[in-house]
Protein backbone atom coordinates (compact mmCIF):
# COMPACT_ATOMS: atom_id res chain seq x y z
CA UNK A 1 0.00 0.00 0.00
CA UNK A 2 1.28 3.46 -0.90
CA UNK A 3 0.07 7.02 -0.55
CA UNK A 4 1.22 9.52 -3.16
CA UNK A 5 0.72 13.19 -2.30
CA UNK A 6 0.88 15.99 -4.85
CA UNK A 7 -0.22 19.55 -5.47
CA UNK A 8 2.08 21.57 -3.28
CA UNK A 9 3.95 24.61 -4.52
CA UNK A 10 4.62 28.30 -4.12
CA UNK A 11 1.68 30.67 -3.87
CA UNK A 12 1.17 34.25 -2.81
CA UNK A 13 -0.73 35.03 0.36
CA UNK A 14 -4.44 34.97 -0.39
CA UNK A 15 -3.99 32.38 -3.10
CA UNK A 16 -5.19 28.80 -3.36
CA UNK A 17 -3.77 25.33 -3.76
CA UNK A 18 -5.34 21.91 -4.02
CA UNK A 19 -3.52 18.93 -2.58
CA UNK A 20 -4.24 15.37 -3.65
CA UNK A 21 -3.30 12.05 -2.12
CA UNK A 22 -3.85 8.84 -4.02
CA UNK A 23 -3.80 5.50 -2.25
CA UNK A 24 -2.76 2.45 -4.22
CA UNK A 25 -1.93 -1.20 -3.69
CA UNK A 26 -3.81 -4.10 -2.18
CA UNK A 27 -6.51 -2.03 -0.52
CA UNK A 28 -9.65 -3.62 0.82
CA UNK A 29 -11.05 -0.65 2.70
CA UNK A 30 -10.04 2.84 3.84
CA UNK A 31 -11.27 4.26 7.10
CA UNK A 32 -10.30 7.73 8.29
CA UNK A 33 -8.04 9.92 6.19
CA UNK A 34 -6.34 13.15 7.08
CA UNK A 35 -3.88 15.87 6.26
CA UNK A 36 -1.10 16.85 8.62
CA UNK A 37 1.50 19.56 8.31
CA UNK A 38 4.87 20.26 9.80
CA UNK A 39 6.63 23.60 9.67
CA UNK A 40 10.35 23.95 10.46
CA UNK A 41 10.97 23.71 14.19
CA UNK A 42 7.39 22.76 14.94
CA UNK A 43 5.58 19.55 15.71
CA UNK A 44 3.46 17.84 13.11
CA UNK A 45 -0.16 18.86 13.54
CA UNK A 46 -3.44 17.52 12.24
CA UNK A 47 -4.95 20.01 9.81
CA UNK A 48 -8.09 18.21 8.71
CA UNK A 49 -9.59 14.74 8.82
CA UNK A 50 -12.48 12.94 7.19
CA UNK A 51 -14.17 9.67 8.00
CA UNK A 52 -15.32 7.11 5.46
CA UNK A 53 -18.83 8.54 5.90
CA UNK A 54 -17.63 12.03 5.05
CA UNK A 55 -17.64 13.56 8.51
CA UNK A 56 -14.94 16.22 8.71
CA UNK A 57 -13.07 18.15 11.32
CA UNK A 58 -10.49 20.92 11.10
CA UNK A 59 -7.94 22.62 13.25
CA UNK A 60 -9.31 26.03 14.23
CA UNK A 61 -6.71 27.97 12.27
CA UNK A 62 -7.95 26.66 8.90
CA UNK A 63 -11.70 26.53 9.46
CA UNK A 64 -13.54 28.39 6.73
CA UNK A 65 -10.49 28.40 4.46
CA UNK A 66 -9.62 24.73 3.90
CA UNK A 67 -11.91 21.94 2.72
CA UNK A 68 -11.09 18.27 2.98
CA UNK A 69 -12.82 15.77 0.74
CA UNK A 70 -12.37 12.27 -0.59
CA UNK A 71 -13.32 10.20 -3.59
CA UNK A 72 -13.86 6.71 -2.26
CA UNK A 73 -14.11 5.23 -5.75
CA UNK A 74 -10.66 6.55 -6.60
CA UNK A 75 -9.14 6.05 -3.12
CA UNK A 76 -8.08 9.69 -3.26
CA UNK A 77 -8.01 12.40 -0.64
CA UNK A 78 -8.06 16.13 -1.34
CA UNK A 79 -7.40 19.34 0.51
CA UNK A 80 -8.62 22.57 -1.05
CA UNK A 81 -6.74 25.44 0.55
CA UNK A 82 -8.02 28.97 -0.01
CA UNK A 83 -6.99 32.33 1.41
CA UNK A 84 -3.57 30.95 2.21
CA UNK A 85 -1.48 32.71 4.81
CA UNK A 86 2.29 32.66 5.38
CA UNK A 87 1.68 30.66 8.56
CA UNK A 88 0.17 27.86 6.43
CA UNK A 89 3.57 27.18 4.90
CA UNK A 90 4.75 23.70 5.80
CA UNK A 91 5.27 20.22 4.47
CA UNK A 92 1.85 18.61 4.18
CA UNK A 93 1.44 14.88 4.72
CA UNK A 94 -1.54 12.70 4.03
CA UNK A 95 -2.46 9.83 6.28
CA UNK A 96 -4.92 6.98 5.91
CA UNK A 97 -6.02 4.01 7.94
CA UNK A 98 -6.23 1.15 5.48
CA UNK A 99 -7.33 -2.46 5.63
CA UNK A 100 -5.15 -4.31 3.17
CA UNK A 101 -5.18 -7.72 1.55
CA UNK A 102 -2.88 -8.82 4.38
CA UNK A 103 -6.05 -8.81 6.47
CA UNK A 104 -4.97 -6.13 8.90
CA UNK A 105 -5.40 -2.42 9.49
CA UNK A 106 -2.43 -0.12 9.19
CA UNK A 107 -1.65 3.59 9.25
CA UNK A 108 0.00 4.81 6.10
CA UNK A 109 1.69 8.11 5.26
CA UNK A 110 2.36 9.93 2.04
CA UNK A 111 5.78 11.34 1.27
CA UNK A 112 4.90 14.97 1.99
CA UNK A 113 4.40 17.90 -0.32
CA UNK A 114 5.82 21.36 0.31
CA UNK A 115 3.52 24.36 0.53
CA UNK A 116 5.22 27.76 0.48
CA UNK A 117 3.25 30.98 0.93
CA UNK A 118 4.89 34.29 0.13
CA UNK A 119 3.73 37.46 1.84
Amino acid sequence: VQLQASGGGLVQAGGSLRLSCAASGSIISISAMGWYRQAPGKQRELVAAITSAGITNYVNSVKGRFTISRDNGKNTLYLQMNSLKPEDAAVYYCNARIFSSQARWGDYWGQGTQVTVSS
Side-chain angles (χ1 to χ4, degrees):
V1 175
Q2 289 185 330
L3 298 183
Q4 180 70 41
S6 61
L10 172 63
V11 64
Q12 287 188 331
S16 298
L17 284 174
R18 188 191 195 207
L19 306 183
S20 299
C21 175
S24 62
S26 301
I27 297 169
I28 305 300
S29 179
I30 302 178
S31 178
M33 304 181 81
W35 288 99
Y36 291 73
R37 67 186 179 188
Q38 187 167 20
K42 294 187 177 182
Q43 288 188 331
R44 188 174 296 190
E45 67 169 348
L46 175 65
V47 176
I50 184 168
T51 69
S52 56
I55 298 171
T56 60
N57 70 280
Y58 300 89
V59 67
N60 284 340
S61 60
V62 307
K63 285 181 179 178
R65 300 187 298 120
F66 290 12
T67 302
I68 189 171
S69 61
R70 61 192 284 174
D71 184 330
N72 291 328
K74 295 181 179 180
N75 289 338
T76 301
L77 176 70
Y78 304 99
L79 185 68
Q80 178 67 44
M81 304 185 294
N82 298 328
S83 302
L84 281 160
K85 303 176 181 180
E87 52 263 41
D88 294 317
V91 178
Y92 283 69
Y93 299 89
C94 55
N95 170 270
R97 185 152 182 82
I98 297 174
F99 189 79
S100 71
S101 61
Q102 294 179 318
R104 59 189 176 99
W105 287 98
D107 281 312
Y108 295 87
W109 291 89
Q111 84 283 13
T113 184
Q114 178 73 51
V115 171
T116 304
V117 184
S118 63
S119 57

